[in-house]
Structure formats: C-alpha cells, structure tokens
Amino acid sequence: MRKLIMLALAGIVSSPVIHAEVGIPAKGGWPEYLFIESVTRAEAHDTATKIAQAIFAGRMVIFSQMGKLTDPNIGDKGYTGAVFEKQWRASVEHLQIDASPSQQRIMEKVFWAGKQAMDNNQDRLNVKGVAWKHFLPAKWEREMGSLLNARTGILTKQPARNYRNPVNIPDSAERETLTRFVQPGFDGAAHGTFAQMGKQEVYRYMEPIRLIPPCMGCHGKPQGELDMLGFEKDGLEINDVIGLMSVTIAVRD
Ligand code: HEC
C-alpha cells in the first residue's frame, strides 16, 4: 500500500479516477449571464423580427456586391464598413419607421456590429489576384452575430440542414423547428416562443431562409458534387428552406 502511494505521488500510477468522456457540453446554466439588452414581453416578437429582417437585408446587400468582391483583378475594392452600412440602412428604412426608442437603440447596435464585421474583413477583401477570399454573406452574418452578442447578449444564428460552419449546429429547439420548416406542407410562418436560458427568460424567434438562384452554385444540385469551395452541394432546389434565421433576446417584465 505504502509503495502504491509512493508510486502515485511520483505520478507513475494514475489515480483511480474514472475519466469521463471529453469534449461534451457542460450541463445546466448558460454562458451569457448578463444580457445587456432586453425587451418587454409585448415588444419581443416585433423586435426579434426586425433584427432578423435587418440581418437578412444585410446578406442581400452583400450578395449584390459579390461580383466585385470576388474579382481577382481589383485590389482595393473600396467596400468599407461605412459604404456597406449606407447601402444596408437604405434597404431597411421601413423597419425603422415604427421602431420604439428601445428598438431603435438595439437596431443601432445591429448596424454597428454589421459595419464592424465588414471593416474587420478589409485586408481579406482587398487581396489582389485571388477570386475567392472566404468572404460571403453567411460568414458576415456569423461574424456580426458574434460582435452583436458580445455587446448586447442578443444571440443570432443561422442553423441549417447541412451546416458548413459548426457555429450553426442547431440546438434542440432549432432542430425541432427546422424539421417542421422543411416539410412540404409548411405554411411559411415564422416561429416565436418564450423560453428559458439558464436563469434568463428569453424570446426565441426563428424564420425560414429559402434558396434563391444565386445560392444554387453551392447549395443546389447535383447533391454531393463539390462546390467551388470544396463542400459537397446540398442537392436542394430554388425556394427550398435551407436553414433558419434564429434570434434569441432576453425578456424583462
Ligand atoms: C460560394 C458558395 C456559396 C453560395 C453561393 C452560398 N453559400 Fe451559403 N454557405 C456557404 C459557406 C462556405 C457557408 C459557411 C460560412 C461560414 O460561416 O463560414 C455557408 C453558410 C450558409 C448558411 C448557414 C449554415 C451553414 O452552412 O453554416 C446558410 C443558411 C446559407 N449558407 C444559405 C445560403 C443562401 C440562402 C444562399 C443564397 C442567397 C447561399 N447560402 C449562397 C457557401 C455558399
């Protein structure tokens, strides 16, 4: 026995602890304990809808620039955060008209995050001689979502049927909604529900993201064929639901 203790102390015999599986989610709680921004119950749905629609509009603005952004012959594209923000705000003026003061404050932070994400990509975007520089609307959304979350606690995410980025792995609520959204008879209506995240009550809003023609080169047919980035194409069709715009926001009474 004494010999065993000596060996254990010397690190020769490992302690009799049963090693659990590694790399699995911790149980309980939620990593974000202080939600800086929150909404009233009455404004929850409308606010989440505005955030989702603003982000979606930002994606479309970037899409319209992809020809220029992937042109290998241009170095400095001049597509700064400020240039993008101006176009983006113009495309979502309708969302601002009836916004309450707290919604306006949140929207300003959404615009800030989107502009910042675009500024963060300038070195990448301005590389000359390379067409594909790993910048596209979904990446902008992921990065602006991370900035928005850091500043406000609001969570935005785009879980998908076949996610390419692991950040977009659907959680159980998202998986359930997405499963419903991809059924042939789905009526197209967004899904919103009050839920609990750790100690915080939240509103969870999910709306379908559908495919349009410019998406098909990567997410369309034939299934399994490699797209220009080396991912296998999803095999989906125009207008199919590919994923969700998921927004989670803290609720206060
Ligand atoms: C050039 C290929 C390409 C095109 C075109 C494209 N995507 Fe993607 N898509 C990607 C890549 C790569 C990612 C992962 C981006 C990241 O987060 O780094 C992605 C991510 C996504 C995601 C998030 C889930 C995931 O896979 O991580 C959604 C939703 C999505 N795309 C929808 C669309 C829609 C809608 C269109 C058309 C409007 C479109 N994509 C066009 C390549 C493409």
Side-chain angles (χ1 to χ4, degrees), residues 37-141:
E37 287 292 352
S38 60
V39 286
T40 60
R41 205 169 291 273
E43 274 191 354
H45 181 79
D46 190 46
T47 312
T49 308
K50 282 186 192 307
I51 295 170
Q53 290 183 0
I55 294 175
F56 197 74
R59 283 182 65 134
M60 289 301 118
V61 169
I62 294 170
F63 242 110
S64 72
Q65 301 293 320
M66 286 310 283
K68 178 171 159 189
L69 298 180
T70 56
D71 187 336
N73 299 316
I74 316 174
D76 186 353
K77 319 273 185 306
Y79 201 61
T80 59
V83 172
F84 160 68
E85 187 187 359
K86 206 167 164 213
Q87 296 173 344
W88 184 22
R89 280 181 183 265
S91 75
V92 293
E93 268 172 4
H94 61 287
L95 296 176
Q96 303 276 68
I97 293 166
D98 61 346
S100 69
S102 86
Q103 288 177 331
Q104 280 171 14
R105 190 183 59 245
I106 290 173
M107 292 302 279
E108 285 306 310
K109 292 183 181 179
V110 171
F111 292 131
W112 166 83
K115 172 183 187 282
Q116 190 65 48
M118 187 59 81
D119 277 334
N120 289 352
N121 278 282
Q122 289 302 300
D123 290 350
R124 173 184 298 275
L125 286 173
N126 293 335
V127 170
K128 200 175 176 187
V130 182
W132 166 249
K133 296 175 278 291
H134 196 130
F135 181 85
L136 80 181
K139 176 182 143 94
W140 166 80
E141 202 219 304

Side-chain angles (χ1 to χ4, degrees), residues 13 17 26 35 44 91-94 130 147 164 166 171 177 192 200-201 225 235 237 241 247 253:
V13 175
V17 175
F35 288 78
S91 75
V92 293
E93 268 172 4
H94 61 287
V130 182
L147 292 163
R164 281 160 166 72
D171 65 21
T177 304
Q200 178 65 54
E201 187 181 11
E225 187 185 87
E237 294 187 18
V241 173
V247 177
D253 279 316

Side-chain angles (χ1 to χ4, degrees), residues 56 59-60 63 66 132 134-143 157-169 209-219 227-229 231 234 240 242-245:
F56 197 74
R59 283 182 65 134
M60 289 301 118
F63 242 110
M66 286 310 283
W132 166 249
H134 196 130
F135 181 85
L136 80 181
K139 176 182 143 94
W140 166 80
E141 202 219 304
R142 170 166 58 77
E143 294 181 356
K157 188 179 156 189
Q158 34 178 0
R161 299 158 77 126
N162 305 311
Y163 56 86
R164 281 160 166 72
N165 196 294
V167 164
N168 292 317
I169 297 176
I209 301 179
R210 291 184 188 275
L211 292 172
I212 54 175
C215 320
M216 304 318 279
C218 298
H219 297 295
D227 68 21
M228 56 185 283
L229 311 176
F231 283 105
D234 306 68
D240 276 351
I242 181 172
L244 297 175
M245 187 72 79

Side-chain angles (χ1 to χ4, degrees), residues 180-246:
R180 204 161 51 72
F181 281 6
V182 301
Q183 300 305 316
F186 169 54
D187 63 6
H191 174 75
T193 179
F194 290 94
Q196 203 70 26
M197 269 187 180
K199 293 182 202 153
Q200 178 65 54
E201 187 181 11
V202 293
Y203 184 70
R204 301 203 62 179
Y205 173 85
M206 298 171 204
E207 71 175 46
I209 301 179
R210 291 184 188 275
L211 292 172
I212 54 175
C215 320
M216 304 318 279
C218 298
H219 297 295
K221 289 184 183 334
Q223 183 168 21
E225 187 185 87
L226 296 189
D227 68 21
M228 56 185 283
L229 311 176
F231 283 105
E232 290 187 10
K233 292 187 188 178
D234 306 68
L236 298 171
E237 294 187 18
I238 292 171
N239 212 31
D240 276 351
V241 173
I242 181 172
L244 297 175
M245 187 72 79
S246 173

